[in-house]
Structures are given as structure tokens and as C-alpha cells.
Short mmCIF file of all heavy atoms in Angstrom, two decimals:
data_model
loop_
_atom_site.label_atom_id
_atom_site.label_comp_id
_atom_site.label_asym_id
_atom_site.label_seq_id
_atom_site.Cartn_x
_atom_site.Cartn_y
_atom_site.Cartn_z
N MET V 1296 -35.09 23.75 -1.35
CA MET V 1296 -34.73 24.50 -0.18
C MET V 1296 -33.38 24.01 0.34
O MET V 1296 -33.13 22.81 0.38
CB MET V 1296 -35.81 24.32 0.88
CG MET V 1296 -36.01 25.52 1.74
SD MET V 1296 -37.25 25.25 3.00
CE MET V 1296 -38.53 26.27 2.31
N PHE V 1297 -32.51 24.91 0.74
CA PHE V 1297 -31.20 24.55 1.25
C PHE V 1297 -31.24 24.43 2.77
O PHE V 1297 -31.92 25.18 3.44
CB PHE V 1297 -30.16 25.60 0.86
CG PHE V 1297 -29.90 25.66 -0.61
CD1 PHE V 1297 -30.47 26.64 -1.40
CD2 PHE V 1297 -29.10 24.72 -1.21
CE1 PHE V 1297 -30.24 26.69 -2.76
CE2 PHE V 1297 -28.86 24.74 -2.56
CZ PHE V 1297 -29.44 25.73 -3.35
N LYS V 1298 -30.48 23.49 3.28
CA LYS V 1298 -30.36 23.33 4.72
C LYS V 1298 -29.47 24.44 5.27
O LYS V 1298 -28.43 24.74 4.71
CB LYS V 1298 -29.74 21.97 5.04
CG LYS V 1298 -29.57 21.71 6.51
CD LYS V 1298 -28.93 20.37 6.74
CE LYS V 1298 -28.66 20.19 8.22
NZ LYS V 1298 -27.97 18.96 8.51
N GLU V 1299 -29.92 25.06 6.36
CA GLU V 1299 -29.13 26.11 6.99
C GLU V 1299 -27.88 25.49 7.62
O GLU V 1299 -27.95 24.48 8.31
CB GLU V 1299 -29.96 26.80 8.07
CG GLU V 1299 -29.25 27.95 8.71
CD GLU V 1299 -30.13 28.63 9.73
OE1 GLU V 1299 -31.33 28.75 9.49
OE2 GLU V 1299 -29.58 29.01 10.76
N VAL V 1300 -26.75 26.10 7.38
CA VAL V 1300 -25.49 25.59 7.93
C VAL V 1300 -25.10 26.43 9.14
O VAL V 1300 -24.97 27.64 9.05
CB VAL V 1300 -24.37 25.66 6.86
CG1 VAL V 1300 -23.05 25.22 7.45
CG2 VAL V 1300 -24.74 24.82 5.66
N ASN V 1301 -24.96 25.78 10.29
CA ASN V 1301 -24.51 26.46 11.50
C ASN V 1301 -23.00 26.37 11.54
O ASN V 1301 -22.43 25.30 11.44
CB ASN V 1301 -25.12 25.79 12.74
CG ASN V 1301 -26.62 25.89 12.74
OD1 ASN V 1301 -27.16 26.97 12.60
ND2 ASN V 1301 -27.29 24.78 12.89
N MET V 1302 -22.37 27.50 11.71
CA MET V 1302 -20.91 27.55 11.67
C MET V 1302 -20.36 27.91 13.04
O MET V 1302 -20.94 28.69 13.78
CB MET V 1302 -20.45 28.60 10.66
CG MET V 1302 -20.96 28.37 9.25
SD MET V 1302 -20.19 26.99 8.42
CE MET V 1302 -18.55 27.60 8.21
N LEU V 1303 -19.22 27.33 13.34
CA LEU V 1303 -18.46 27.72 14.53
C LEU V 1303 -17.63 28.95 14.20
O LEU V 1303 -17.23 29.14 13.06
CB LEU V 1303 -17.50 26.61 14.94
CG LEU V 1303 -18.09 25.35 15.52
CD1 LEU V 1303 -16.99 24.31 15.71
CD2 LEU V 1303 -18.76 25.64 16.83
N THR V 1304 -17.34 29.73 15.20
CA THR V 1304 -16.40 30.82 14.97
C THR V 1304 -15.01 30.37 15.42
O THR V 1304 -14.87 29.51 16.28
CB THR V 1304 -16.80 32.08 15.77
OG1 THR V 1304 -16.72 31.79 17.17
CG2 THR V 1304 -18.20 32.55 15.40
N LYS V 1305 -14.01 30.96 14.80
CA LYS V 1305 -12.64 30.62 15.14
C LYS V 1305 -12.37 30.95 16.61
O LYS V 1305 -11.74 30.18 17.33
CB LYS V 1305 -11.66 31.38 14.25
CG LYS V 1305 -10.22 30.95 14.46
CD LYS V 1305 -9.20 31.83 13.76
CE LYS V 1305 -9.40 31.99 12.30
NZ LYS V 1305 -8.30 32.75 11.64
N THR V 1306 -12.88 32.09 17.06
CA THR V 1306 -12.67 32.50 18.44
C THR V 1306 -13.27 31.50 19.42
O THR V 1306 -12.63 31.11 20.40
CB THR V 1306 -13.29 33.90 18.68
OG1 THR V 1306 -12.70 34.81 17.77
CG2 THR V 1306 -13.09 34.36 20.10
N ARG V 1307 -14.50 31.05 19.15
CA ARG V 1307 -15.15 30.09 20.03
C ARG V 1307 -14.35 28.78 20.06
O ARG V 1307 -14.15 28.18 21.11
CB ARG V 1307 -16.58 29.82 19.58
CG ARG V 1307 -17.29 28.83 20.47
CD ARG V 1307 -18.76 28.74 20.17
NE ARG V 1307 -19.39 29.90 20.77
CZ ARG V 1307 -20.29 30.66 20.17
NH1 ARG V 1307 -20.67 30.40 18.96
NH2 ARG V 1307 -20.82 31.69 20.77
N LEU V 1308 -13.88 28.35 18.92
CA LEU V 1308 -13.10 27.11 18.85
C LEU V 1308 -11.77 27.25 19.60
O LEU V 1308 -11.40 26.37 20.38
CB LEU V 1308 -12.86 26.72 17.40
CG LEU V 1308 -12.13 25.41 17.17
CD1 LEU V 1308 -12.87 24.24 17.80
CD2 LEU V 1308 -11.93 25.17 15.69
N ILE V 1309 -11.09 28.35 19.39
CA ILE V 1309 -9.80 28.56 20.07
C ILE V 1309 -10.00 28.61 21.58
O ILE V 1309 -9.23 28.00 22.34
CB ILE V 1309 -9.11 29.84 19.54
CG1 ILE V 1309 -8.62 29.61 18.10
CG2 ILE V 1309 -7.95 30.25 20.44
CD1 ILE V 1309 -8.16 30.85 17.40
N ASN V 1310 -11.01 29.33 22.03
CA ASN V 1310 -11.28 29.41 23.47
C ASN V 1310 -11.57 28.03 24.04
O ASN V 1310 -11.14 27.70 25.15
CB ASN V 1310 -12.44 30.35 23.76
CG ASN V 1310 -12.08 31.79 23.53
OD1 ASN V 1310 -10.91 32.16 23.54
ND2 ASN V 1310 -13.08 32.61 23.32
N SER V 1311 -12.28 27.22 23.30
CA SER V 1311 -12.60 25.87 23.76
C SER V 1311 -11.35 24.99 23.77
O SER V 1311 -11.16 24.20 24.70
CB SER V 1311 -13.66 25.26 22.85
OG SER V 1311 -13.94 23.96 23.25
N LEU V 1312 -10.50 25.13 22.78
CA LEU V 1312 -9.28 24.32 22.72
C LEU V 1312 -8.34 24.67 23.86
O LEU V 1312 -7.60 23.81 24.35
CB LEU V 1312 -8.57 24.52 21.37
CG LEU V 1312 -9.29 23.94 20.16
CD1 LEU V 1312 -8.54 24.30 18.89
CD2 LEU V 1312 -9.47 22.45 20.28
N ASP V 1313 -8.37 25.91 24.32
CA ASP V 1313 -7.53 26.30 25.45
C ASP V 1313 -7.89 25.54 26.72
O ASP V 1313 -7.08 25.44 27.63
CB ASP V 1313 -7.65 27.81 25.71
CG ASP V 1313 -6.85 28.63 24.72
OD1 ASP V 1313 -5.94 28.06 24.08
OD2 ASP V 1313 -7.14 29.83 24.58
N LYS V 1314 -9.08 24.97 26.77
CA LYS V 1314 -9.52 24.23 27.96
C LYS V 1314 -9.11 22.76 27.92
O LYS V 1314 -9.26 22.05 28.91
CB LYS V 1314 -11.04 24.35 28.10
CG LYS V 1314 -11.46 25.77 28.37
CD LYS V 1314 -12.95 25.92 28.40
CE LYS V 1314 -13.30 27.40 28.57
NZ LYS V 1314 -14.72 27.64 28.45
N LEU V 1315 -8.59 22.30 26.78
CA LEU V 1315 -8.12 20.91 26.68
C LEU V 1315 -6.78 20.78 27.39
O LEU V 1315 -6.04 21.76 27.55
CB LEU V 1315 -7.95 20.52 25.21
CG LEU V 1315 -9.21 20.26 24.41
CD1 LEU V 1315 -8.87 20.02 22.94
CD2 LEU V 1315 -9.99 19.10 24.96
N PRO V 1316 -6.44 19.55 27.79
CA PRO V 1316 -5.12 19.35 28.39
C PRO V 1316 -4.02 19.64 27.36
O PRO V 1316 -4.28 19.71 26.16
CB PRO V 1316 -5.13 17.87 28.79
CG PRO V 1316 -6.30 17.26 28.14
CD PRO V 1316 -7.22 18.33 27.71
N GLU V 1317 -2.81 19.79 27.84
CA GLU V 1317 -1.68 20.12 26.95
C GLU V 1317 -1.47 19.05 25.87
O GLU V 1317 -1.12 19.36 24.74
CB GLU V 1317 -0.41 20.29 27.78
CG GLU V 1317 0.75 20.88 27.01
CD GLU V 1317 0.45 22.27 26.44
OE1 GLU V 1317 -0.29 23.04 27.07
OE2 GLU V 1317 0.96 22.57 25.36
N GLN V 1318 -1.68 17.78 26.23
CA GLN V 1318 -1.54 16.70 25.25
C GLN V 1318 -2.87 15.98 25.08
O GLN V 1318 -3.55 15.69 26.07
CB GLN V 1318 -0.48 15.71 25.71
CG GLN V 1318 0.91 16.30 25.75
CD GLN V 1318 1.94 15.26 26.14
OE1 GLN V 1318 1.63 14.19 26.64
NE2 GLN V 1318 3.20 15.59 25.89
N PHE V 1319 -3.24 15.72 23.84
CA PHE V 1319 -4.47 15.00 23.54
C PHE V 1319 -4.34 14.35 22.17
O PHE V 1319 -3.52 14.75 21.35
CB PHE V 1319 -5.69 15.93 23.60
CG PHE V 1319 -5.54 17.18 22.76
CD1 PHE V 1319 -5.86 17.19 21.42
CD2 PHE V 1319 -5.06 18.34 23.35
CE1 PHE V 1319 -5.71 18.34 20.66
CE2 PHE V 1319 -4.91 19.50 22.60
CZ PHE V 1319 -5.24 19.50 21.26
N SER V 1320 -5.16 13.34 21.95
CA SER V 1320 -5.11 12.61 20.68
C SER V 1320 -5.96 13.32 19.63
O SER V 1320 -6.80 14.16 19.95
CB SER V 1320 -5.63 11.18 20.88
OG SER V 1320 -7.03 11.20 21.10
N ILE V 1321 -5.72 12.97 18.40
CA ILE V 1321 -6.52 13.50 17.29
C ILE V 1321 -7.99 13.11 17.48
O ILE V 1321 -8.89 13.92 17.25
CB ILE V 1321 -6.00 12.99 15.93
CG1 ILE V 1321 -4.60 13.55 15.65
CG2 ILE V 1321 -6.96 13.34 14.81
CD1 ILE V 1321 -4.54 15.05 15.49
N ASP V 1322 -8.23 11.88 17.94
CA ASP V 1322 -9.61 11.44 18.18
C ASP V 1322 -10.28 12.31 19.24
O ASP V 1322 -11.45 12.68 19.08
CB ASP V 1322 -9.65 9.98 18.62
CG ASP V 1322 -9.31 9.01 17.50
OD1 ASP V 1322 -9.47 9.40 16.31
OD2 ASP V 1322 -8.92 7.88 17.80
N GLU V 1323 -9.55 12.65 20.29
CA GLU V 1323 -10.11 13.51 21.33
C GLU V 1323 -10.40 14.91 20.77
O GLU V 1323 -11.43 15.52 21.10
CB GLU V 1323 -9.16 13.62 22.53
CG GLU V 1323 -9.07 12.34 23.32
CD GLU V 1323 -7.95 12.36 24.34
OE1 GLU V 1323 -6.88 12.94 24.07
OE2 GLU V 1323 -8.16 11.78 25.42
N LEU V 1324 -9.52 15.40 19.92
CA LEU V 1324 -9.72 16.71 19.29
C LEU V 1324 -10.98 16.70 18.43
O LEU V 1324 -11.81 17.61 18.53
CB LEU V 1324 -8.51 17.10 18.46
CG LEU V 1324 -8.64 18.37 17.65
CD1 LEU V 1324 -8.84 19.57 18.56
CD2 LEU V 1324 -7.44 18.55 16.74
N VAL V 1325 -11.11 15.69 17.59
CA VAL V 1325 -12.28 15.59 16.71
C VAL V 1325 -13.56 15.49 17.54
O VAL V 1325 -14.54 16.18 17.27
CB VAL V 1325 -12.14 14.40 15.74
CG1 VAL V 1325 -13.44 14.15 14.99
CG2 VAL V 1325 -11.00 14.66 14.77
N ASP V 1326 -13.54 14.64 18.58
CA ASP V 1326 -14.71 14.52 19.45
C ASP V 1326 -15.06 15.86 20.08
O ASP V 1326 -16.23 16.24 20.17
CB ASP V 1326 -14.47 13.49 20.55
CG ASP V 1326 -14.45 12.06 20.04
OD1 ASP V 1326 -14.91 11.82 18.90
OD2 ASP V 1326 -13.99 11.18 20.80
N HIS V 1327 -14.06 16.59 20.51
CA HIS V 1327 -14.27 17.88 21.14
C HIS V 1327 -14.89 18.88 20.16
O HIS V 1327 -15.85 19.59 20.49
CB HIS V 1327 -12.93 18.40 21.68
CG HIS V 1327 -13.04 19.62 22.51
ND1 HIS V 1327 -13.52 19.61 23.79
CD2 HIS V 1327 -12.73 20.90 22.23
CE1 HIS V 1327 -13.51 20.84 24.27
NE2 HIS V 1327 -13.02 21.63 23.34
N VAL V 1328 -14.36 18.94 18.95
CA VAL V 1328 -14.88 19.87 17.94
C VAL V 1328 -16.32 19.51 17.57
O VAL V 1328 -17.17 20.39 17.43
CB VAL V 1328 -13.97 19.90 16.69
CG1 VAL V 1328 -14.60 20.70 15.57
CG2 VAL V 1328 -12.60 20.47 17.06
N VAL V 1329 -16.60 18.22 17.43
CA VAL V 1329 -17.96 17.78 17.12
C VAL V 1329 -18.91 18.18 18.24
O VAL V 1329 -20.02 18.68 17.99
CB VAL V 1329 -18.01 16.26 16.86
CG1 VAL V 1329 -19.43 15.75 16.81
CG2 VAL V 1329 -17.28 15.93 15.56
N LEU V 1330 -18.50 18.00 19.49
CA LEU V 1330 -19.34 18.38 20.62
C LEU V 1330 -19.62 19.88 20.60
O LEU V 1330 -20.76 20.31 20.77
CB LEU V 1330 -18.67 17.99 21.94
CG LEU V 1330 -19.40 18.46 23.19
CD1 LEU V 1330 -20.77 17.80 23.31
CD2 LEU V 1330 -18.57 18.20 24.43
N ILE V 1331 -18.60 20.69 20.37
CA ILE V 1331 -18.78 22.14 20.33
C ILE V 1331 -19.77 22.51 19.24
O ILE V 1331 -20.66 23.35 19.43
CB ILE V 1331 -17.43 22.84 20.08
CG1 ILE V 1331 -16.50 22.62 21.25
CG2 ILE V 1331 -17.62 24.34 19.83
CD1 ILE V 1331 -15.07 23.01 20.94
N GLU V 1332 -19.64 21.90 18.08
CA GLU V 1332 -20.54 22.20 16.95
C GLU V 1332 -21.97 21.82 17.30
O GLU V 1332 -22.90 22.57 17.00
CB GLU V 1332 -20.06 21.45 15.71
CG GLU V 1332 -20.74 21.88 14.43
CD GLU V 1332 -22.03 21.15 14.17
OE1 GLU V 1332 -22.17 20.00 14.62
OE2 GLU V 1332 -22.91 21.71 13.50
N LYS V 1333 -22.17 20.67 17.95
CA LYS V 1333 -23.52 20.24 18.30
C LYS V 1333 -24.14 21.14 19.36
O LYS V 1333 -25.34 21.46 19.28
CB LYS V 1333 -23.51 18.79 18.77
CG LYS V 1333 -23.27 17.84 17.61
CD LYS V 1333 -23.32 16.39 18.04
CE LYS V 1333 -23.09 15.51 16.83
NZ LYS V 1333 -23.43 14.12 17.08
N VAL V 1334 -23.35 21.57 20.32
CA VAL V 1334 -23.86 22.51 21.33
C VAL V 1334 -24.26 23.82 20.65
O VAL V 1334 -25.32 24.38 20.93
CB VAL V 1334 -22.82 22.74 22.45
CG1 VAL V 1334 -23.22 23.91 23.33
CG2 VAL V 1334 -22.63 21.47 23.27
N GLN V 1335 -23.41 24.32 19.75
CA GLN V 1335 -23.73 25.55 19.04
C GLN V 1335 -25.00 25.40 18.23
O GLN V 1335 -25.84 26.30 18.20
CB GLN V 1335 -22.57 25.98 18.15
CG GLN V 1335 -22.81 27.32 17.46
CD GLN V 1335 -22.99 28.43 18.44
OE1 GLN V 1335 -22.18 28.61 19.35
NE2 GLN V 1335 -24.04 29.22 18.31
N ARG V 1336 -25.16 24.27 17.57
CA ARG V 1336 -26.38 24.02 16.78
C ARG V 1336 -27.61 24.04 17.69
O ARG V 1336 -28.64 24.61 17.34
CB ARG V 1336 -26.28 22.67 16.06
CG ARG V 1336 -27.46 22.43 15.13
CD ARG V 1336 -27.35 21.13 14.41
NE ARG V 1336 -26.18 21.14 13.54
CZ ARG V 1336 -25.76 20.10 12.86
NH1 ARG V 1336 -26.37 18.95 12.96
NH2 ARG V 1336 -24.71 20.19 12.08
N GLY V 1337 -27.50 23.43 18.87
CA GLY V 1337 -28.61 23.45 19.82
C GLY V 1337 -28.93 24.85 20.30
O GLY V 1337 -30.10 25.23 20.39
N LEU V 1338 -27.90 25.64 20.61
CA LEU V 1338 -28.12 27.02 21.02
C LEU V 1338 -28.76 27.84 19.91
O LEU V 1338 -29.65 28.67 20.17
CB LEU V 1338 -26.79 27.65 21.46
CG LEU V 1338 -26.17 27.09 22.73
CD1 LEU V 1338 -24.77 27.66 22.94
CD2 LEU V 1338 -27.06 27.36 23.93
N ASP V 1339 -28.32 27.61 18.67
CA ASP V 1339 -28.93 28.29 17.53
C ASP V 1339 -30.40 27.91 17.39
O ASP V 1339 -31.25 28.77 17.13
CB ASP V 1339 -28.19 27.97 16.23
CG ASP V 1339 -26.79 28.57 16.17
OD1 ASP V 1339 -26.47 29.46 16.99
OD2 ASP V 1339 -26.01 28.13 15.30
N ASP V 1340 -30.71 26.63 17.55
CA ASP V 1340 -32.10 26.18 17.48
C ASP V 1340 -32.95 26.85 18.54
O ASP V 1340 -34.07 27.30 18.26
CB ASP V 1340 -32.19 24.65 17.63
CG ASP V 1340 -31.74 23.90 16.39
OD1 ASP V 1340 -31.56 24.53 15.32
OD2 ASP V 1340 -31.57 22.67 16.49
N VAL V 1341 -32.44 26.93 19.75
CA VAL V 1341 -33.19 27.58 20.83
C VAL V 1341 -33.44 29.05 20.50
O VAL V 1341 -34.56 29.54 20.66
CB VAL V 1341 -32.44 27.44 22.18
CG1 VAL V 1341 -33.06 28.33 23.25
CG2 VAL V 1341 -32.46 25.98 22.64
N SER V 1342 -32.42 29.74 20.03
CA SER V 1342 -32.58 31.16 19.73
C SER V 1342 -33.56 31.40 18.57
O SER V 1342 -34.17 32.46 18.49
CB SER V 1342 -31.24 31.82 19.43
OG SER V 1342 -30.71 31.36 18.20
N GLN V 1343 -33.73 30.39 17.72
CA GLN V 1343 -34.66 30.49 16.60
C GLN V 1343 -36.03 29.90 16.93
O GLN V 1343 -36.90 29.82 16.07
CB GLN V 1343 -34.08 29.79 15.37
CG GLN V 1343 -32.82 30.43 14.85
CD GLN V 1343 -32.15 29.61 13.77
OE1 GLN V 1343 -32.72 28.67 13.23
NE2 GLN V 1343 -30.92 29.95 13.45
N GLY V 1344 -36.21 29.48 18.17
CA GLY V 1344 -37.50 28.94 18.59
C GLY V 1344 -37.77 27.51 18.12
O GLY V 1344 -38.89 27.04 18.18
N LYS V 1345 -36.74 26.83 17.68
CA LYS V 1345 -36.89 25.45 17.20
C LYS V 1345 -36.73 24.49 18.37
O LYS V 1345 -35.72 23.80 18.50
CB LYS V 1345 -35.85 25.14 16.12
CG LYS V 1345 -35.96 25.97 14.88
CD LYS V 1345 -34.85 25.61 13.91
CE LYS V 1345 -34.86 26.49 12.69
NZ LYS V 1345 -33.73 26.17 11.81
N VAL V 1346 -37.72 24.48 19.24
CA VAL V 1346 -37.69 23.63 20.42
C VAL V 1346 -39.00 22.87 20.55
O VAL V 1346 -40.01 23.25 19.96
CB VAL V 1346 -37.44 24.46 21.70
CG1 VAL V 1346 -36.06 25.10 21.66
CG2 VAL V 1346 -38.49 25.52 21.88
N ASN V 1347 -38.97 21.80 21.31
CA ASN V 1347 -40.17 21.02 21.60
C ASN V 1347 -40.62 21.30 23.02
O ASN V 1347 -39.79 21.48 23.91
CB ASN V 1347 -39.90 19.51 21.47
CG ASN V 1347 -39.65 19.09 20.03
OD1 ASN V 1347 -40.43 19.42 19.16
ND2 ASN V 1347 -38.57 18.39 19.80
N THR V 1348 -41.93 21.30 23.21
CA THR V 1348 -42.44 21.37 24.58
C THR V 1348 -42.16 20.03 25.25
O THR V 1348 -41.83 19.04 24.60
CB THR V 1348 -43.95 21.64 24.61
OG1 THR V 1348 -44.62 20.52 24.01
CG2 THR V 1348 -44.30 22.92 23.87
N ARG V 1349 -42.32 19.99 26.54
CA ARG V 1349 -42.12 18.75 27.28
C ARG V 1349 -43.09 17.67 26.75
O ARG V 1349 -42.70 16.52 26.59
CB ARG V 1349 -42.34 18.99 28.76
CG ARG V 1349 -42.03 17.79 29.62
CD ARG V 1349 -42.14 18.12 31.06
NE ARG V 1349 -41.05 19.03 31.40
CZ ARG V 1349 -40.65 19.30 32.60
NH1 ARG V 1349 -41.24 18.77 33.62
NH2 ARG V 1349 -39.64 20.12 32.81
N GLU V 1350 -44.33 18.06 26.49
CA GLU V 1350 -45.31 17.10 26.00
C GLU V 1350 -44.94 16.59 24.60
O GLU V 1350 -45.06 15.40 24.32
CB GLU V 1350 -46.72 17.73 25.99
CG GLU V 1350 -47.80 16.76 25.61
CD GLU V 1350 -47.85 15.51 26.48
OE1 GLU V 1350 -47.59 15.61 27.70
OE2 GLU V 1350 -48.14 14.42 25.95
N GLU V 1351 -44.47 17.46 23.73
CA GLU V 1351 -44.04 17.03 22.39
C GLU V 1351 -42.87 16.06 22.50
O GLU V 1351 -42.82 15.05 21.78
CB GLU V 1351 -43.63 18.24 21.55
CG GLU V 1351 -44.79 19.12 21.13
CD GLU V 1351 -44.33 20.44 20.54
OE1 GLU V 1351 -43.24 20.94 20.90
OE2 GLU V 1351 -45.09 20.99 19.72
N ALA V 1352 -41.96 16.33 23.40
CA ALA V 1352 -40.81 15.43 23.60
C ALA V 1352 -41.29 14.08 24.11
O ALA V 1352 -40.81 13.03 23.64
CB ALA V 1352 -39.82 16.05 24.59
N ARG V 1353 -42.23 14.07 25.04
CA ARG V 1353 -42.75 12.80 25.55
C ARG V 1353 -43.41 12.00 24.44
O ARG V 1353 -43.25 10.78 24.36
CB ARG V 1353 -43.76 13.06 26.67
CG ARG V 1353 -43.12 13.42 27.97
CD ARG V 1353 -44.14 13.51 29.08
NE ARG V 1353 -43.48 13.84 30.32
CZ ARG V 1353 -43.92 14.71 31.19
NH1 ARG V 1353 -45.05 15.35 30.99
NH2 ARG V 1353 -43.24 14.95 32.29
N GLN V 1354 -44.17 12.67 23.58
CA GLN V 1354 -44.84 11.97 22.48
C GLN V 1354 -43.82 11.36 21.52
O GLN V 1354 -43.98 10.23 21.07
CB GLN V 1354 -45.77 12.92 21.74
CG GLN V 1354 -47.00 13.31 22.54
CD GLN V 1354 -47.82 14.39 21.88
OE1 GLN V 1354 -47.48 14.88 20.80
NE2 GLN V 1354 -48.91 14.78 22.51
N LYS V 1355 -42.78 12.10 21.20
CA LYS V 1355 -41.75 11.58 20.30
C LYS V 1355 -41.00 10.41 20.95
O LYS V 1355 -40.72 9.40 20.28
CB LYS V 1355 -40.76 12.68 19.92
CG LYS V 1355 -41.37 13.70 18.98
CD LYS V 1355 -40.38 14.77 18.62
CE LYS V 1355 -41.01 15.78 17.66
NZ LYS V 1355 -40.08 16.79 17.20
N LEU V 1356 -40.67 10.54 22.22
CA LEU V 1356 -39.96 9.46 22.92
C LEU V 1356 -40.83 8.23 23.08
O LEU V 1356 -40.33 7.10 23.04
CB LEU V 1356 -39.48 9.94 24.28
CG LEU V 1356 -38.26 10.84 24.26
CD1 LEU V 1356 -38.00 11.40 25.66
CD2 LEU V 1356 -37.04 10.10 23.77
N ALA V 1357 -42.13 8.42 23.25
CA ALA V 1357 -43.04 7.28 23.42
C ALA V 1357 -42.98 6.34 22.22
O ALA V 1357 -43.06 5.12 22.36
CB ALA V 1357 -44.47 7.77 23.65
N LYS V 1358 -42.78 6.90 21.03
CA LYS V 1358 -42.68 6.08 19.82
C LYS V 1358 -41.43 5.22 19.86
O LYS V 1358 -41.42 4.09 19.38
CB LYS V 1358 -42.65 6.98 18.58
CG LYS V 1358 -43.94 7.72 18.34
CD LYS V 1358 -43.80 8.66 17.15
CE LYS V 1358 -45.03 9.52 16.98
NZ LYS V 1358 -44.90 10.46 15.87
N TRP V 1359 -40.35 5.73 20.44
CA TRP V 1359 -39.08 5.01 20.49
C TRP V 1359 -39.04 4.00 21.62
O TRP V 1359 -38.32 3.01 21.54
CB TRP V 1359 -37.94 5.97 20.69
CG TRP V 1359 -37.63 6.91 19.56
CD1 TRP V 1359 -38.34 7.06 18.40
CD2 TRP V 1359 -36.57 7.81 19.49
NE1 TRP V 1359 -37.77 8.02 17.62
CE2 TRP V 1359 -36.67 8.50 18.27
CE3 TRP V 1359 -35.52 8.14 20.33
CZ2 TRP V 1359 -35.77 9.47 17.87
CZ3 TRP V 1359 -34.62 9.11 19.94
CH2 TRP V 1359 -34.75 9.76 18.72
N LEU V 1360 -39.76 4.27 22.69
CA LEU V 1360 -39.64 3.46 23.89
C LEU V 1360 -40.69 2.36 24.00
O LEU V 1360 -40.89 1.80 25.07
CB LEU V 1360 -39.72 4.37 25.14
CG LEU V 1360 -38.63 5.45 25.21
CD1 LEU V 1360 -38.87 6.36 26.40
CD2 LEU V 1360 -37.26 4.83 25.29
N LYS V 1361 -41.36 2.04 22.91
CA LYS V 1361 -42.37 0.98 22.93
C LYS V 1361 -41.76 -0.35 23.15
O LYS V 1361 -40.70 -0.70 22.83
CB LYS V 1361 -43.16 0.97 21.61
CG LYS V 1361 -44.12 2.12 21.53
CD LYS V 1361 -44.94 2.00 20.27
CE LYS V 1361 -45.91 3.16 20.19
NZ LYS V 1361 -46.76 3.09 19.06
#
């Protein structure tokens, strides 16, 4: 089975870049693009019903917070 690839659109990326200051570092650019991609992936997951209930989240976090 192949992993589904979530893609950014050029328009979404350009609109987001317009919100950055006039000068920024390459590291800031990369961080910004990664954040946009992760937000899009989360939105895609929500639209596909790939979400946890509050109780499921608590159970998963309980394993980490021991």
C-alpha cells in the first residue's frame, strides 16, 4: 500500500509567502513552508475523518505522560 501524499498548491504557498516580512532567512522560509504543509495535512486529515475523539487522545497521551 502506498502512503497518500498531501500536496501544497502553488497559490496557497504564494499567498502565505506574501504574509512574510520583506526580508527573511532561508531557515525561516523552510520553517514557514514546513508549517504550511503540516497545517494542510491536518486539514486534509480532518476532511477525511482521520481524527481522534477527546477520549482517544487522552488514552494516547496517558501512555506518554507516565
Side-chain angles (χ1 to χ4, degrees):
M1296 213 182 252
F1297 293 101
K1298 180 181 175 184
E1299 183 178 322
V1300 176
N1301 298 307
M1302 302 288 292
L1303 289 174
T1304 64
K1305 187 189 305 186
T1306 302
R1307 180 170 282 135
L1308 183 58
I1309 289 169
N1310 289 338
S1311 178
L1312 291 176
D1313 283 341
K1314 295 175 184 173
L1315 286 174
E1317 191 60 33
Q1318 294 183 345
F1319 51 86
S1320 70
I1321 294 295
D1322 288 338
E1323 290 169 325
L1324 174 63
V1325 170
D1326 288 345
H1327 188 74
V1328 172
V1329 168
L1330 174 65
I1331 295 167
E1332 191 273 332
K1333 288 183 179 193
V1334 168
Q1335 184 61 50
R1336 186 179 296 174
L1338 292 172
D1339 291 346
D1340 285 348
V1341 169
S1342 70
Q1343 296 171 13
K1345 297 178 184 177
V1346 295
N1347 291 309
T1348 64
R1349 186 175 291 196
E1350 185 56 36
E1351 290 169 332
R1353 283 186 179 137
Q1354 290 172 359
K1355 288 180 179 184
L1356 284 172
K1358 293 176 186 178
W1359 292 5
L1360 301 175
K1361 286 185 180 182

